[in-house]
Amino acid sequence: MWKRPSSSSNFSRGLWKLLNTRSMSTSRLDASKLQVKRVAQRSEPKPSDELVFGKTFTDHMLTIEWTMDKGWDAPVIKPYGPISLDPASCVLHYAFELFEGLKAYRTEEGKVVLFRAEKNMERMNKSAARICLPGFDSEELIKLIGKLIEEDKHLVPKGQGYSLYIRPTMLGTTDGLGVGYPDKALLYVITSPVGPYYKTGFKAVRLLATDFATRAWPGGVGDKKLGANYAPCVLPQLQAAEKGYQQNLWLFGSEKYITEVGTMNVFFVFKDPKTGKKELVTAPLDGTILEGVTRDSILTLSRERLDPKEWEINERYYTIYEVAERSKKGELVEAFGSGTAVVVSPIKEIGWQGEDIQVPLLPGEQSGELTKTVASWISAIQYGKEQHDNWSRVVADVN
Ligand SMILES: *Cc1c(COP(=O)(O)O)cnc(C)c1O
């Protein structure tokens, strides 16, 4: 077992200041300075059944430039379109890039609400700090995302499973081939109307337990949403696909710890044959696991709502060997991935050492019991049918 690496919040004060203010006279991100340049003509919403994930974008984008000397410039909402970069821009050579993914949902009352956006902003600041890009005031960026959605609110699709996917992105834009910390950056936000991941109900997936490639490692950056983490994971996914599996179940180390699945967190449910008690398990946040907002929401709701006499909820290390062994003994109950795009994704089989571990599903169905339950809990909150703490924030009204 490895030790949790020190987190980015352990930066020294001096370094923190260098990364975030760099000079006391620079401007902070300020939503009240927003300038809006609208499209000449608003587009019509596409028919909902033609929406392909991340292929359709709305009319406007938000852009904010940053320089080390001046800090954050005035935010601009302008027509969606190409950005121009110098070919020597540091993002193109050394991958100074990070992103976020969150969604806005249209409630039955016609309000557009963001789900736990402050968690994404907090994570975006951590990603930025790790690659020497500037920090920003989360609340100001949430306000600006709200204004962007307000401009394009007629394009937020209606109905269960439909939403507006929001993609905040930050790049280092310093021109020059020397490797160093960027003195120029661009933050932008684009939005994409999306349909349900599962159009006709759940479809359980087959995973290949993967130890021939490693997604993340101790002291690395697997817990940050850096673009550089994703490109190297596509080839292993193709290798899995060649063998008939949709995604990689990422293992780590000689112990073969289970970490994540594809670009999702992963949960397993086991049953203790002696007590009959069930255990919901996911890997601990040790620096190799992306700190999923869906993961956190599932843990929080499960701790609040599952009967502790029947359930244990644990963030702990567990291995593919444990899963294989407990499957043989009939103690494996169900398993699912979690992430913003899908909410939950049920698992039916795991290829490991030339055999398939069968993950139980409800009779005649494509998921387990808890998978369905957490999906309904989360969607009720996302679509405003239920309130939970301050997880929802109204940013526009379509009426
Ligand atoms: C984004 C992401 C997740 C899920 O995070 P959510 O906040 O729940 O969307 C999990 N793992 C990886 C590797 C990711 O990139």
Side-chain angles (χ1 to χ4, degrees), residues 58 102-104 149 155-157 162-166 191-194:
T58 60
L102 65 160
K103 282 176 169 178
I149 295 171
L155 301 173
V156 181
Y162 290 87
S163 58
L164 185 71
Y165 184 80
I166 304 161
T191 66
S192 169
V194 296

Side-chain angles (χ1 to χ4, degrees), residues 112-365:
V112 182
V113 296
L114 289 175
F115 179 72
R116 306 194 74 185
E118 48 310 309
K119 295 287 280 179
N120 296 89
M121 296 298 108
E122 190 188 319
R123 191 168 71 188
M124 190 170 174
N125 266 298
K126 285 194 206 171
S127 297
R130 184 62 183 82
I131 54 171
C132 302
L133 286 173
F136 58 87
D137 183 331
S138 296
E139 197 53 39
E140 296 302 298
L141 188 56
I142 295 175
K143 277 188 217 157
L144 289 163
I145 290 173
K147 303 264 189 206
L148 177 65
I149 295 171
E150 176 68 36
E151 290 299 325
D152 291 337
K153 63 187 177 186
H154 64 295
L155 301 173
V156 181
K158 262 192 214 143
Q160 182 68 38
Y162 290 87
S163 58
L164 185 71
Y165 184 80
I166 304 161
R167 172 51 63 92
T169 310
M170 202 195 301
L171 319 173
T173 53
T174 295
D175 312 328
L177 300 180
V179 180
Y181 61 80
D183 63 355
K184 281 192 342 184
L186 172 68
L187 193 168
Y188 65 85
V189 182
I190 54 177
T191 66
S192 169
V194 296
Y197 194 86
Y198 299 107
K199 290 216 167 55
T200 54
F202 283 130
K203 189 140 182 21
V205 295
R206 304 181 71 222
L207 309 179
L208 181 61
T210 299
D211 59 0
F212 56 86
T214 306
R215 192 197 83 85
W217 43 88
V221 290
D223 60 341
K224 308 291 189 295
K225 255 180 147 61
L226 306 184
N229 281 334
Y230 297 82
C233 290
V234 174
L235 182 62
Q237 191 190 347
L238 292 179
Q239 290 167 316
E242 230 179 0
K243 299 192 170 101
Y245 299 93
Q246 283 111 318
Q247 284 292 353
N248 305 94
L249 179 64
W250 299 108
L251 305 180
F252 179 79
S254 53
E255 296 90 346
K256 317 276 181 209
Y257 291 119
I258 291 176
T259 62
E260 298 205 52
V261 50
T263 58
M264 287 184 279
N265 297 114
V266 66
F267 288 82
F268 281 77
V269 178
F270 301 114
K271 193 167 70 189
D272 183 332
K274 287 195 210 87
T275 61
K277 223 174 165 175
K278 286 190 226 171
E279 184 193 16
L280 176 63
V281 182
T282 194
L285 300 178
D286 65 355
T288 67
I289 304 292
L290 202 289
E291 301 180 7
V293 178
T294 319
R295 175 189 180 279
D296 183 79
S297 305
I298 291 169
L299 287 171
T300 302
L301 294 173
S302 297
R303 285 179 178 132
E304 287 172 7
R305 298 180 181 184
L306 294 175
D307 183 352
K309 286 194 219 77
E310 290 167 31
W311 283 91
E312 245 184 69
I313 293 138
N314 289 323
E315 294 167 74
R316 67 164 173 89
Y317 292 106
Y318 64 110
T319 68
I320 188 70
Y321 298 118
E322 175 176 349
V323 170
E325 192 184 308
R326 299 191 74 172
S327 157
K328 276 203 192 101
K329 292 188 192 155
E331 295 172 21
L332 176 58
V333 179
E334 62 182 285
F336 57 88
S338 79
T340 294
V342 293
V343 185
V344 291
S345 170
I347 297 163
K348 65 176 175 191
E349 272 172 337
I350 302 169
W352 170 238
Q353 294 183 332
E355 287 178 37
D356 285 329
I357 300 169
Q358 301 296 324
V359 184
L361 299 171
L362 289 169
E365 297 195 38

Side-chain angles (χ1 to χ4, degrees), residues 18-192:
L18 172 75
L19 292 170
N20 286 283
T21 55
R22 308 214 189 171
S23 133
M24 289 314 284
S25 60
T26 62
S27 331
R28 300 166 65 84
L29 179 57
D30 183 353
S32 71
K33 292 194 190 143
L34 176 67
Q35 300 165 7
V36 182
K37 299 169 194 164
R38 296 197 172 90
V39 292
Q41 182 149 26
R42 298 212 145 121
S43 63
E44 289 296 315
K46 253 195 171 176
S48 285
D49 58 349
E50 285 176 25
L51 296 173
V52 179
F53 180 82
K55 290 282 185 198
T56 311
F57 295 95
T58 60
D59 293 341
H60 297 93
M61 64 196 276
L62 168 73
T63 68
I64 319 161
E65 287 179 20
W66 174 90
T67 61
M68 195 151 78
D69 292 342
K70 298 213 178 90
W72 289 104
D73 202 353
V76 182
I77 287 176
K78 61 184 182 193
Y80 182 96
I83 54 175
S84 157
L85 292 173
D86 189 286
S89 214
C90 67
V91 59
L92 301 175
H93 300 270
Y94 308 125
F96 286 93
E97 193 270 353
L98 61 99
F99 64 95
E100 268 303 323
L102 65 160
K103 282 176 169 178
Y105 304 83
R106 195 196 275 221
T107 69
E108 271 165 15
E109 295 76 42
K111 303 267 194 290
V112 182
V113 296
L114 289 175
F115 179 72
R116 306 194 74 185
E118 48 310 309
K119 295 287 280 179
N120 296 89
M121 296 298 108
E122 190 188 319
R123 191 168 71 188
M124 190 170 174
N125 266 298
K126 285 194 206 171
S127 297
R130 184 62 183 82
I131 54 171
C132 302
L133 286 173
F136 58 87
D137 183 331
S138 296
E139 197 53 39
E140 296 302 298
L141 188 56
I142 295 175
K143 277 188 217 157
L144 289 163
I145 290 173
K147 303 264 189 206
L148 177 65
I149 295 171
E150 176 68 36
E151 290 299 325
D152 291 337
K153 63 187 177 186
H154 64 295
L155 301 173
V156 181
K158 262 192 214 143
Q160 182 68 38
Y162 290 87
S163 58
L164 185 71
Y165 184 80
I166 304 161
R167 172 51 63 92
T169 310
M170 202 195 301
L171 319 173
T173 53
T174 295
D175 312 328
L177 300 180
V179 180
Y181 61 80
D183 63 355
K184 281 192 342 184
L186 172 68
L187 193 168
Y188 65 85
V189 182
I190 54 177
T191 66
S192 169

